Amino acid sequence: MITEIVILAMIAAFLGLRLYSVLGRRSEHEEEIVPRRFERSETPPQSDNAPQAVRQPVVLRSGDERAPANETGIRAIAAADQGFDLLGFLEGAKGAYAMVLEAFWKGDRETLRELADDDVYRSFAGAIDARDKAGETLENRLIRIEDATVRSAELDGRTARIAVLFVADIAAVTRDAEGNVIAGSLDDAIESRDVWTFTRNVGSSDPNWILDETDEG
């Protein structure tokens, strides 16, 4: 009888140790902090010797014979204006191209005044006045801008000047005072090639570029 009691006690002690061992390991795991999936991790501090971001070199189309001179001009502008970015400039130029065309077609002198210099504005305003006098209206649409590339670039003192060649598809219709179509068609888009020159004082706090000249491409 005593022998059986001793054996049962040993078995109970053994099971108790096993249970404690399992619960003990589980408790240790439960105390661990598990990071949440979308929790932002702390960014390790960077030493003073950590490499700094390097501006990517400007690369223009090698097929254009003007590319070397254009690249020199772009580099000069970028050196004078640390905030200048060629791709960002071209995106802005395309936006300005669309805005100026829409403003001219609608006769919106206020927008043209904001985007163009005095000479270009007077040219646009004169064409709008002549159109109004004739009783004609434009119903043009910019279908798409196929391409926008740097035609020339230079830094003259503190004035940056970049000419951009725009290749765009435009549907153009001219109506008379009675609304009759006298020229063009909205069904047929025509390729338009325009060279617009934008300027900006690189020392100015105003980041906007101004349309300085327009020409056919």
Side-chain angles (χ1 to χ4, degrees):
M1 185 67 178
I2 295 176
T3 303
E4 293 179 355
I5 294 174
V6 171
I7 294 174
L8 291 175
M10 292 177 63
I11 294 175
F14 175 77
L15 293 176
L17 289 173
R18 293 287 297 173
L19 181 61
Y20 174 81
S21 176
V22 173
L23 291 178
R25 285 198 299 268
R26 181 179 179 184
S27 176
E28 290 173 0
H29 285 292
E30 287 176 349
E31 290 176 0
E32 293 178 0
I33 299 176
V34 180
R36 298 171 185 170
R37 177 175 297 180
F38 299 109
E39 190 176 50
R40 186 179 61 184
S41 60
E42 294 294 332
T43 301
Q46 294 183 352
S47 65
D48 295 336
N49 296 327
Q52 301 297 319
V54 179
R55 298 181 69 180
Q56 295 298 318
V58 176
V59 179
L60 300 179
R61 295 186 176 182
S62 58
D64 190 341
E65 62 183 8
R66 293 177 293 267
N70 292 348
E71 186 168 345
T72 299
I74 290 296
R75 289 184 183 278
I77 295 172
D81 181 3
Q82 296 298 313
F84 177 78
D85 174 69
L86 179 58
L87 295 180
F89 166 80
L90 288 175
E91 287 301 313
K94 289 191 287 186
Y97 180 76
M99 290 178 63
V100 169
L101 288 181
E102 291 289 344
F104 174 66
W105 295 336
K106 295 178 180 178
D108 183 357
R109 293 176 174 81
E110 183 177 352
T111 298
L112 292 173
R113 176 69 282 180
E114 295 176 355
L115 299 175
D117 73 351
D118 294 341
D119 292 339
V120 175
Y121 171 75
R122 282 193 292 267
S123 178
F124 280 131
I128 292 174
D129 290 340
R131 194 171 69 212
D132 291 344
K133 186 176 180 179
E136 297 175 351
T137 57
L138 297 181
E139 192 177 330
N140 297 359
R141 297 177 185 173
L142 176 60
I143 307 301
R144 68 181 64 84
I145 298 176
E146 296 285 357
D147 199 8
T149 56
V150 174
R151 192 73 176 268
S152 65
E154 64 175 348
L155 181 65
D156 183 7
R158 300 296 290 171
T159 302
R161 183 175 290 104
I162 303 178
V164 180
L165 169 63
F166 296 98
V167 179
D169 293 332
I170 297 175
V173 167
T174 302
R175 297 182 182 274
D176 61 17
E178 286 73 35
N180 300 314
V181 176
I182 58 177
S185 170
L186 290 179
D187 296 330
D188 299 319
I190 299 175
E191 181 182 272
S192 177
R193 300 175 66 88
D194 299 303
V195 177
W196 286 14
T197 302
F198 299 89
T199 62
R200 178 179 176 271
N201 185 334
V202 294
S204 173
S205 58
D206 185 356
N208 295 321
W209 291 71
I210 297 296
L211 179 59
D212 180 68
E213 185 179 345
T214 62
D215 199 357
E216 294 183 356

